[in-house]
Amino acid sequence: MEKAANNQLTNDDLIRFALEEQSPKRSEMAGEREKSKAEIKASPSHHTASLNIIRDLSAPKYESTSPLLYLQQQVRTMFTHGPERAKCAFVLLIDANSGVRTTSTSLSTRILALRWDSSAAAASLVMLLAWPQERMSPLLDRQLAWPSAGQPTLREVREGQRHFFLPAYREAKAAAKGPEAKSTLLEVFLVDVHSLRLQKDGAESSKPCTSFSHTFVVAFGPEGMIVWQGCGGEGWGYGLDTYISPEHNGARIRSWEDAGAFADRVEKLTEHKGKWDKKCNNFYKHCFGVDLRQICSVEGVVPALTPKYEAWLKILVFEDLTVEQLRKFSY
């Protein structure tokens, strides 16, 4: 990838990024099936649909004075042409705002690696849409460093400040119900500390474990609370596209009663220590929609859960989210 002349999301830039005619240079050892998949992922029809998605983001067909409802519609807009085209639009938005020109080869490679059942990918999409333009540089840097995507490291866990969800929830609720009716956005990283230690020590290669680490985004406003997330692995879980669908209705406006119950369960997950027991599993299932105990119970299919439960929480907070900030993309 090379640097473009500027980082403005212009019509000419997007068309050039999306339709650049450069033959992919693939290894002769690559199988025909993988070659075919890559060509499909970055096909012209994907490019056209992706540009339509970006156009709708910059000039939406909906009007709302509520940041919560506006962001809810923006996330839905990303998937109007399906999850694969949403991947293409996501990559183009990252690169155009970073001032990076993407070739057909790199676009195909990144689309193939992107999964909406990755909690990090799902959260990153919402953050890209919501984060204010003037503060986007660190966010874009971590997207270009995918797949790490800003996930906390063991060093950060050891040296950084541990956060707690309930205080953040209470502050956001107070701001939403206060006289100024402010909206607040939280990106939450629930970290499996023991799993990070196993990876660092090289133990993961000899006996792989399923980590409970999970990233999600929560927005609060006068209307209530919305959660955006994806959670899964090979053969289990769900993607962000499924989560926001009418059938799943995960990204709905939740009442303050439901929001309080969610916050309480997340806090209890953070405080829990010892082993992954039934109570801990139920908290996780209610919050994130997957039954890890059941998923990991079939030997040889999904690796067993991390033997030691040790959680650590990191929260990024953006206060006073506005519709004007959400309209940052221009086309």
Side-chain angles (χ1 to χ4, degrees):
M1 294 185 289
E2 58 180 289
K3 291 287 182 180
N6 59 65
N7 64 352
Q8 297 299 310
L9 186 61
T10 65
N11 181 47
D12 290 343
D13 282 340
L14 282 168
I15 291 175
R16 183 170 67 253
F17 296 159
L19 303 179
E20 181 179 5
E21 295 182 0
Q22 179 170 332
S23 299
K25 297 178 181 179
R26 298 184 177 87
S27 168
E28 294 181 1
M29 298 298 292
E32 288 301 317
R33 186 172 66 88
E34 290 302 315
K35 178 179 177 181
S36 175
K37 281 171 62 180
E39 288 172 344
I40 290 172
K41 301 296 183 186
S43 67
S45 64
H46 278 66
H47 295 144
T48 302
S50 299
L51 292 175
N52 288 336
I53 291 170
I54 295 169
R55 183 184 291 111
D56 288 343
L57 286 175
S58 60
K61 301 174 183 178
Y62 49 88
E63 289 294 334
S64 176
T65 57
S66 162
L68 208 62
L69 298 178
Y70 198 97
L71 181 57
Q72 182 187 51
Q73 189 59 48
Q74 278 194 315
V75 177
R76 288 173 179 167
T77 296
M78 285 294 296
F79 292 93
T80 51
H81 295 278
E84 295 304 318
R85 289 166 174 82
K87 293 179 183 179
C88 188
F90 181 41
V91 173
L92 291 175
L93 281 171
I94 292 170
D95 289 356
N97 279 275
S98 304
V100 173
R101 181 181 294 115
T102 307
T103 66
S104 299
T105 306
S106 64
L107 181 61
S108 296
T109 301
R110 291 162 72 192
I111 288 173
L112 284 169
L114 186 59
R115 297 174 52 134
W116 293 125
D117 61 2
S118 159
S119 66
S124 294
L125 169 61
V126 181
M127 293 300 291
L128 179 68
L129 296 174
W131 210 244
Q133 187 74 45
E134 65 274 11
R135 294 170 56 186
M136 283 189 72
S137 183
L139 183 69
L140 292 168
D141 287 344
R142 86 183 198 195
Q143 302 304 335
L144 292 171
W146 186 265
S148 59
Q151 299 302 294
T153 62
L154 186 58
R155 180 176 180 178
E156 186 175 356
V157 170
R158 287 171 173 168
E159 300 177 1
Q161 180 183 359
R162 181 183 180 184
H163 297 150
F164 297 90
F165 193 78
L166 267 180
Y169 160 73
R170 288 168 181 156
E171 288 184 19
K173 179 181 178 181
K177 300 186 76 172
E180 297 184 45
K182 292 184 177 181
S183 297
T184 304
L185 188 77
L186 308 179
E187 184 178 25
V188 186
F189 302 86
L190 176 65
V191 180
D192 181 344
V193 179
H194 190 64
S195 178
L196 287 181
R197 289 199 188 99
L198 291 177
Q199 292 176 37
K200 182 174 177 58
D201 295 340
E204 188 183 40
S205 59
S206 59
K207 189 177 181 181
C209 295
T210 296
S211 170
F212 63 79
S213 289
H214 184 68
T215 307
F216 58 99
V217 176
V218 193
F220 301 91
E223 303 85 357
M225 179 188 82
I226 298 180
V227 179
W228 287 279
Q229 58 188 344
C231 186
E234 289 294 339
W236 63 273
Y238 57 87
L240 178 60
D241 55 311
T242 300
Y243 186 75
I244 67 171
S245 67
E247 294 77 19
H248 197 292
N249 198 28
R252 64 190 180 279
I253 300 284
R254 305 193 190 194
S255 68
W256 288 115
E257 182 180 356
D258 289 345
F262 179 88
D264 185 61
R265 290 182 180 118
V266 172
E267 190 73 4
K268 287 177 179 176
L269 274 173
T270 310
E271 294 173 346
H272 184 80
K273 293 181 180 179
K275 292 186 177 181
W276 186 277
D277 57 23
K278 185 176 180 180
K279 182 182 292 186
C280 180
N281 190 73
N282 286 337
F283 289 147
Y284 198 94
K285 181 180 177 181
H286 280 292
C287 290
F288 311 133
V290 293
D291 187 338
L292 283 183
R293 203 175 192 186
Q294 181 179 7
I295 289 166
C296 298
S297 64
V298 183
E299 188 175 353
V301 178
V302 178
L305 275 163
T306 307
K308 180 180 178 181
Y309 186 93
E310 184 179 352
W312 186 84
L313 206 69
K314 174 183 176 180
I315 304 176
L316 294 181
V317 182
F318 174 55
E319 299 172 333
D320 199 13
L321 180 68
T322 66
V323 170
E324 288 70 26
Q325 290 162 338
L326 294 172
R327 289 174 176 157
K328 60 181 175 286
F329 298 121
S330 60
Y331 180 88

